[in-house]
Every structure is written in structure tokens, then in C-alpha cells.
Amino acid sequence: MLLAIDGGGTKTHGLLFDAYGVVHAVARGPRCLPQVDGVADALGVLDSLVARLLADGGATAADVHHAGVYLTGMDLPQEEERFAVQLRTREWARSFTLANDTFALLRAGTDAPDAIAIVCGTGLNCVGTSASGSVTRFPALGRLSGDWGGGTDLAEEILWSAARAEDGRGPDTLLRSVVTEIFGTHTVYEAYCGLHLGEIDPAIVAELPPGLFAAAEAGDAVALAVVHRQAEEIVALGRVAMQRLGLTAVPIPVVLGGSVLAAGHPTLVEPVERGLRSVNPAIEVRMVGRPPVVGAAILVLEQVLGGEADVEPAAGALILALADQLIG
């Protein structure tokens, strides 16, 4: 038995499967964010998820040969090392691989050695690899490391723009109604005061970004400016990754994923594709529809089985097994 886990800013997916690609259990849990919630809480999420997988799959921890754990927030070597020390104390696998979740997205979209993956979900991140074995990554620590984008930042921008529109400091925008409709308030003032006073569940904030894209597609200038900024940030990551790896003039796949990108909003996706092709006209943009946990599972198969020829049939069986299952 093998385990694959993909932990993100809003949810965690897990698979229990075997070396033939047969899926024995699928489970979904809450977010796994050691940077925000702490290592103990993050490990608790994983422990609970694995317990469900084993129970549903009719297996025990003694049956699990290897686990691949791919988590958002594994951005610095020090973070990986600290989390790995605690992960190795777990008894639900004989051995572990721990890495950032961008690697799972990359493998879910391609097996090409020269490739870039950009994830825009709760946050924003990028990884690139080359046939020479080089890997390029970003710290992805938010504004502290020069990052902006993803659902959290977009939601903050929506609230900021709506508040300024309502009190007259900024231009009017449809984002005012986006906020009041999501929060169920009469005014934006009531919404942000409710957040500040703890009277409104802050989890509601995560529901704002779809309204941003609806407003942008309706031609709202403020919303369009925010979406264009997001596109520019995504392109900047891809540009730097390609430049670092010397991949600006060769055909390569650029894998896009994460909830914000995968939603496929034309006001975001079209400028992202144009911007990336302005860096390298030979790229093939691939929007990943399957959940990144599939990439995590294929990586586990490669780690356990070795050569690509051995992995391909099992990986194909695994993907087919998941094709009709809802992992949303």
C-alpha cells in the first residue's frame, strides 16, 4: 500500500493505493497549513486523514510502504527539515517523502523534465525543473518575500476597494455589492466592522474572489485592475523561472493550477497566456483539471517503482480509477 497527500490552504486530499495503480480509498480533510496553524495542528490534520484512508481502505499502518506528503508552506529548507523530523515520528508509513505542493501540481500536468508549474489558489507559487536536474523555486512567504496574489490577497483587495468606494476615497465599483451580498449586510461598513469585532466568521472572506471575476467580466474598471495585477504576478513568476533555467527559447509545458486559475476566468487566463508567450512563444500552456493529489500519487509510484516504464501502466490505471470520483 502507498499513500499520497496534497495539502493546501483550504483543503487536503489523500489517496490510499497500491503499486498497480488500484485506488483503495480517497479522503478529503481541512486545510494543512503548518506556517499558519503550527506543526502540531498540521500533523493532526494528516493523522486524521490517514486514519480515515486506512479505515476506508481496509488497511493498517503496517501495510503502508511509503507516503508522499506534498504541502503548501514547505517553502524554506528549514521548514521542510523541521516538519520532516516530526513526520518521521508518525507510524502510518515505513518511509516518507516531504515536499512543496507545487511539485505535485507539476507532476499532475506533465512528465517533461523541462517544465514550469504555477499555482494560484489560496496563495501563489511557482516551481521549475530542467533536464539538467536544476530546480528553481520561490520563498512564497507573502509580502515579506515580495509575493502578491491568490485568493487571500484578492479577497483583501476586494474588501479594500469596496470600503474606499463606499466612503468616497476611491472610485465606485461593483465590488461593493460583491461584499454586501457575500456577507449578507446592507453596507460594506457593516461587513468589515463585523469582521473586526469577531461577529462575522472570517471564513466567509474566502468566498469573495469569484465575485471579483464576475465584476471584471461585467467591465468594472476596479475589478479589472485587480485581475490584471494578478495576471502580471503570475506571468512574472513564470518569466523568472524560465529565465533562471534557460528555458525561454525551447518548447516546454507550463502547468497552471490552483482554484483561482483552474476556474478558467477569461479575464485572468487570457492575459496570463499572452504574457507567458511573450517570454517564450514555444510554450504549451496546460491547465490542470485533475487534483494535484494525482501528481503526488504518480511521484510516489516513481519513487517506489523506479523507472518510467514501470510507472506508466500503474499511473494510467490510477488516473482512470479517479476519473469518475469527485475530489472537489
Side-chain angles (χ1 to χ4, degrees):
M1 290 289 195
L2 305 169
L3 283 169
I5 296 170
D6 173 70
T10 57
K11 57 186 176 296
T12 304
H13 285 147
L15 298 180
L16 177 69
F17 60 107
D18 61 36
Y20 298 99
V22 177
V23 177
H24 293 261
V26 180
R28 172 177 168 157
R31 74 182 191 181
C32 187
L33 270 178
Q35 283 181 332
V36 176
D37 300 328
V39 171
D41 282 354
L43 285 167
V45 169
L46 299 184
D47 288 339
S48 176
L49 188 76
V50 171
R52 286 166 52 202
L53 287 168
L54 294 175
D56 292 347
T60 67
D63 298 319
V64 181
H65 176 73
H66 186 73
V69 181
Y70 295 84
L71 303 179
T72 187
M74 293 294 103
D75 297 311
L76 302 179
Q78 300 94 318
E79 290 172 318
E80 287 191 22
E81 290 167 8
R82 292 167 187 165
F83 199 85
V85 168
Q86 297 302 315
L87 189 62
R88 285 193 289 268
T89 67
R90 271 34 203 178
E91 298 180 351
W92 34 261
R94 297 177 203 171
S95 60
F96 296 90
T97 295
L98 173 67
N100 189 272
D101 62 340
T102 51
F103 289 97
L105 172 66
L106 180 66
R107 191 61 186 85
T110 184
D111 61 357
D114 294 323
I116 305 291
I118 306 171
V119 58
C120 185
T122 302
L124 183 65
N125 205 348
C126 175
V127 67
T129 61
S130 73
S132 67
S134 297
V135 176
T136 189
R137 295 176 59 186
F138 295 83
L141 303 178
R143 294 186 66 85
L144 190 66
S145 57
D147 307 298
W148 182 89
T152 299
D153 286 339
L154 292 176
E156 289 181 358
E157 201 70 19
I158 293 165
L159 281 165
W160 186 86
S161 299
R164 291 172 66 87
E166 185 174 87
D167 68 20
R169 286 177 293 167
D172 198 15
T173 170
L174 294 174
L175 297 179
R176 292 173 60 182
S177 60
V178 169
V179 171
T180 56
E181 287 174 12
I182 292 295
F183 282 79
T185 59
H186 294 292
T187 65
V188 178
Y189 174 85
E190 292 171 359
Y192 63 69
C193 284
L195 283 173
H196 175 71
L197 295 172
E199 298 169 352
I200 294 177
D201 184 355
I204 295 176
V205 173
E207 299 176 24
L208 289 171
L212 169 71
F213 293 100
E217 286 158 16
D220 183 81
V222 174
L224 279 168
V226 176
V227 174
H228 289 164
R229 181 184 178 192
Q230 179 66 93
E232 289 169 358
E233 291 293 324
I234 293 168
V235 171
L237 284 172
R239 170 178 56 79
V240 173
M242 285 187 273
Q243 289 171 342
R244 286 178 179 176
L245 295 172
L247 299 177
T248 58
V250 294
I252 62 166
V254 175
V255 177
L256 303 179
S259 58
V260 174
L261 272 170
H265 301 290
T267 51
L268 178 64
V269 174
E270 290 174 5
V272 164
E273 292 192 8
R274 284 197 304 270
L276 291 170
R277 288 198 172 93
S278 72
V279 179
N280 179 354
I283 64 169
E284 177 194 355
V285 177
R286 297 184 183 179
M287 189 70 70
V288 173
R290 62 179 65 135
V293 71
V294 174
I298 296 173
L299 287 169
V300 169
L301 286 170
E302 291 174 345
Q303 291 151 11
V304 171
L305 298 180
E308 292 284 341
D310 294 328
V311 170
E312 187 175 349
L318 184 147
I319 292 168
L320 285 173
L322 291 169
D324 296 326
Q325 296 195 42
L326 178 63
I327 311 178

